[in-house]
Amino acid sequence: MGLFDFFKKKQETPEAQEALDKGLEKTKEGFFSKITKAVVGKSTIDDEVLDNLEEVLVMSDVGVTTTLKIVDRIQQRVARDKYVGTDDLNRLLKEEIQDLLAENNSNDFEHFEYGSHKPYVIMVVGVNGVGKTTTIGKLAHQLKEAGNKVVLGAADTFRAAAVDQIKLWGDRVGVRVVAQPMGSDPASVAFDTVKSAVANGDDVAIIDTAGRLHNKVGLMNELTKIKNVMQKVVPGAPHEILLVLDASTGQNAIEQATQFTQATDVNALALTKLDGTAKGGVVIGISDQFKIPVKYIGVGEKIGDLQLFNKKDFVDSLFKG
């Protein structure tokens, strides 16, 4: 069974749908209570309603750029359809968000062809506290469940806790961990991990990196060095640079995405902690603005609560009920 087939099978279960719906509860509650207030006393979608909607979307951390696109599209629909009541606002909003994301963003994960490289090397980046290590552990679990041999590289050698956490996850999900003493050269750990993956016939190597957001030049140099040493073992590695962001930080997550995408060639995103925040709208903004696939979303604390991000499913769940 391929990686996508496994995830698809998992996410088609009622439990996975329930986890997504529950994970978005706080966002839905805040979002729709604000929209209700925005249209109170109004029967048609006029300029005042659109101004209020714009404020709601910005306050929901959708982001200014994406908000302006959405409001402009709704304004065009209203002008074209002549009479549109406020009762139609949720439907219009849902349709325009889905259409915007479908038009302006890369494909969902179902088009990602896993298995063209062995080992497939994933380098994970992101600041401390965003759920990076937990995401690595949960992803390792999902990959192993799909029948892949996985190895983890503890290349965040600046914090003893980071190495210990990776080892704990390795024990928990039953995958190997390559580690060196605290303070070791991160590139050396990455090199050893990839070399070990080749020797052991592993399918996937996931490399953790230091969760520091220092100046962009320093960050770029460090990540470039790690990439270069891995390429000596596996040409083209890392095949995936996964940026992990904490959705609960709202606009700060967008700023982190900006910093990391300028520092390295991020080609996949994971948004964590959606279940603990009312700022889930940031997923819409990030998905639209960066044109980088949001591959995974964290919707709960269970080991299986790392889900594939599907734009339509996400928006459907956001507007459900």
Side-chain angles (χ1 to χ4, degrees):
M1 184 187 295
L3 176 64
F4 167 66
D5 292 329
F6 167 73
F7 273 122
K8 185 176 182 183
K9 180 181 177 183
K10 293 267 288 186
Q11 290 204 208
E12 284 175 347
T13 63
E15 292 81 4
Q17 185 61 55
E18 184 181 340
L20 177 61
D21 294 342
K22 187 174 181 182
L24 293 177
E25 273 181 2
K26 291 186 178 179
T27 294
K28 284 192 276 193
E29 288 169 4
F31 189 60
F32 290 111
S33 66
K34 289 174 185 173
I35 289 180
T36 301
K37 291 176 183 175
V39 299
V40 67
K42 293 284 186 176
S43 59
T44 58
I45 302 175
D46 58 15
D47 288 344
E48 185 179 353
V49 168
L50 290 171
D51 286 344
N52 290 339
L53 176 61
E54 183 177 311
E55 184 178 344
V56 168
L57 291 170
V58 171
M59 292 292 288
S60 299
D61 285 275
V62 171
V64 174
T65 303
T66 304
T67 290
L68 292 176
K69 288 183 188 177
I70 294 168
V71 172
D72 181 61
R73 292 165 74 108
I74 290 177
Q75 193 168 24
Q76 290 179 37
R77 287 275 298 271
V78 172
R80 186 174 68 242
D81 299 340
K82 302 304 180 187
Y83 183 90
V84 181
T86 51
D87 290 345
D88 298 315
L89 185 58
N90 282 356
R91 176 181 58 81
L92 287 180
L93 188 56
K94 176 183 175 181
E95 290 173 359
E96 293 306 328
I97 289 174
Q98 285 185 330
D99 288 348
L100 177 69
L101 296 185
E103 292 166 13
N104 292 348
N105 197 37
S106 49
N107 294 326
D108 284 324
F109 188 42
E110 60 199 38
H111 300 288
F112 172 58
E113 295 297 329
Y114 172 75
S116 58
H117 303 280
K118 183 176 178 177
Y120 186 80
V121 181
I122 303 171
M123 183 169 78
V124 184
V125 300
V127 301
N128 294 329
V130 296
K132 185 158 56 79
T133 309
T134 301
T135 299
I136 290 170
K138 289 180 177 180
L139 180 56
H141 168 73
Q142 305 277 35
L143 289 164
K144 187 188 175 192
E145 287 288 295
N148 296 286
K149 291 176 66 178
V150 182
V151 61
L152 306 180
D156 182 356
T157 59
F158 294 94
R159 292 188 308 128
V163 177
D164 290 342
Q165 285 172 337
I166 286 286
K167 287 180 177 178
L168 283 172
W169 270 107
D171 290 340
R172 182 179 179 187
V173 304
V175 301
R176 292 190 308 117
V177 176
V178 175
Q180 293 181 11
M182 182 182 171
S184 299
D185 181 7
S188 175
V189 179
F191 180 86
D192 285 353
T193 304
V194 177
K195 190 175 180 180
S196 171
V198 172
N200 196 53
D202 292 323
D203 298 295
V204 186
I206 307 177
I207 314 296
D208 189 19
T209 61
R212 299 170 300 157
L213 233 185
H214 41 281
N215 70 79
K216 278 182 286 187
V217 174
L219 179 65
M220 186 181 298
N221 290 342
E222 184 175 296
L223 296 178
T224 299
K225 182 180 178 183
I226 293 172
K227 286 195 292 183
N228 287 344
V229 300
M230 290 193 292
Q231 287 171 2
K232 292 179 180 178
V233 184
V234 177
H239 307 103
E240 183 172 308
I241 300 178
L242 178 66
L243 172 60
V244 181
L245 299 167
D246 178 352
S248 70
T249 62
Q251 293 305 295
N252 192 37
I254 290 181
E255 177 58 27
Q256 287 175 25
T258 301
Q259 296 290 322
F260 274 98
T261 53
Q262 288 174 352
T264 192
D265 299 320
V266 174
N267 59 6
L269 300 171
L271 273 293
T272 66
K273 307 182 185 181
L274 279 168
D275 55 307
T277 182
K279 297 182 178 182
V282 73
V283 177
I284 298 167
I286 285 176
S287 181
D288 170 55
Q289 288 178 46
F290 289 94
K291 308 299 183 284
I292 298 170
V294 176
K295 283 196 171 180
Y296 309 105
I297 52 174
V299 294
E301 295 182 1
K302 295 177 184 176
I303 198 167
D305 284 341
L306 181 70
Q307 293 195 0
L308 290 173
F309 176 68
N310 177 284
K311 294 183 286 292
K312 184 179 184 302
D313 292 347
F314 180 86
V315 179
D316 279 345
S317 181
L318 185 62
F319 282 81
K320 188 180 290 184

